[in-house]
Structures are given as C-alpha cells and as structure tokens.
Amino acid sequence: ITQEFAVLAAAWTWGVGKRYCRGRLTLPQQGAADEATEEPHRMPTRAEADKVLPLLGEQWARDAGYVLSVLGCRPEAIYRLRSHEIDTAGKRVRLKAKGFDRTVQVPRAVIAVLSRYVKPGGGARIWPVTKSTMMRALPEAFLNACKKAEVEHFGPYGLRSLVSREHILSGTLSHTYARLMGHSAARALADYAGVLPDDEAAAQET
C-alpha cells in the first residue's frame, strides 16, 4: 500500500505540472489508516461505552453513537437512515442493512434523538454529512474518544456486540432477538457476542 501511495503521489505531481490536476495531494501517514479500524469489533462493557459516547466529537456523531448503543443494529442501517423511515408518532424505525429490511419499535429516547434530524419531504438521509463521510468519520471518532477516555479501542460494531450480549443475558425471546438484531442469538454467540470477565465470574458462582 505504501508503494502504491508513492506511485499515486508521483502521478499527481506530474499531473499538476502538466496542469491536468489542481491542488495538493495529501497522503495519510503510514499506519494511520489501520489505526482507526484496529480491533473495531471489540466488545466494550456498558461502563466503557457510557464513558466514550459523550466524547465522540460533533453532535451528529454523539447522537449516532447513542442510537447504536441502544438499538445494537448494524451501523450501515443508521448511516443510510432517511426521514420517511422514522415514525415519530408510532415510535418505529425502519432499519435496512445487508439485505435485511425491518421496521422495529424503539424507545422514546431514541425517537427524540432521531427526530432532531428528520427533514420535511421524507426522502433525504437524516444526517448532516454524506454516507461515505459518516462511514469514515464515525470509526475515527470512536478511536479518538477511546484515547481521551483511556479505554481500549472499540468501534461502532463493538456496540452491536454489547447490545447482543445484553439481550442474551436478559433472556430476550429468540424470535424477538432475531427481529431486533437481524440474526439468531445462536449465531451471535458463535460469531461475536464474546465473553467478558464478569460473565466468566458469574458462571463459576452459579
């Protein structure tokens, strides 16, 4: 990748000299691109999440992080959310990601946050930044917030793992879990629900 960036920089410099390109090409420092995605699926504790979420920077990032921490849906479903998919009166939200399309009941607090971004007409995405910007900026915001909070790095998908674990431990019915999370509880346990030290201690005490 470093070699490819060097070739790109040389080509850009040539293009500027020939007046085919304008402006200056700024390349990321080595390792910077990997740092934001390092262990993005690590499952935090709820205390860690509560410590990091207020430090996510801009208001839209803090609000998106809060919604993810409550719903546990795939981040893509939040990135692409549009105004007409939010039913403020019925407290329902349509979530679409990875071919799964469902409308779910959500807490009043989530509706209160999302309603700040609902636009007249209904067709536009609710967030004040583009989807591509959000997909890049939100993981970076988590990285920076974790550093500030002195918490081991986790990303948006880590919140999905956390909410999944909380559903399983609270005894959410399997069909309800599948509707909320988009897959079965068995798959969550196998793929990414993870085990925290508190889980191991509790299991040994019972």
Side-chain angles (χ1 to χ4, degrees), residues 75-183:
E76 293 86 349
I78 298 301
Y79 297 157
R80 64 178 57 173
L81 198 56
R82 296 180 180 274
S83 294
H84 70 276
E85 296 169 336
I86 302 170
D87 177 4
T88 55
K91 299 192 293 294
R92 295 170 64 85
V93 174
R94 183 181 181 184
L95 302 172
K96 298 182 294 183
K98 284 195 173 182
F100 198 85
D101 188 341
R102 64 198 184 281
T103 300
V104 300
Q105 200 83 24
V106 300
R108 187 184 302 274
V110 170
I111 288 293
V113 168
L114 294 178
S115 63
R116 303 172 191 162
Y117 300 93
V118 173
K119 301 177 178 66
R125 288 180 60 258
I126 65 171
W127 305 106
V129 295
T130 65
K131 180 183 173 183
S132 60
T133 296
M134 193 171 187
M135 291 175 66
R136 171 185 54 79
L138 193 59
E140 289 179 357
F142 270 90
L143 174 63
N144 294 331
C146 286
K147 288 180 178 178
K148 291 178 182 177
E150 298 182 342
V151 168
E152 183 182 351
H153 179 211
F154 67 91
Y157 265 97
L159 295 176
R160 179 167 169 78
S161 299
L162 173 60
V163 175
S164 174
R165 170 183 179 271
E166 290 175 339
H167 276 304
I168 292 170
L169 292 181
S170 67
T172 299
L173 295 175
S174 59
H175 65 279
T176 302
Y177 176 95
R179 178 167 177 77
L180 293 173
M181 302 299 293
H183 55 66

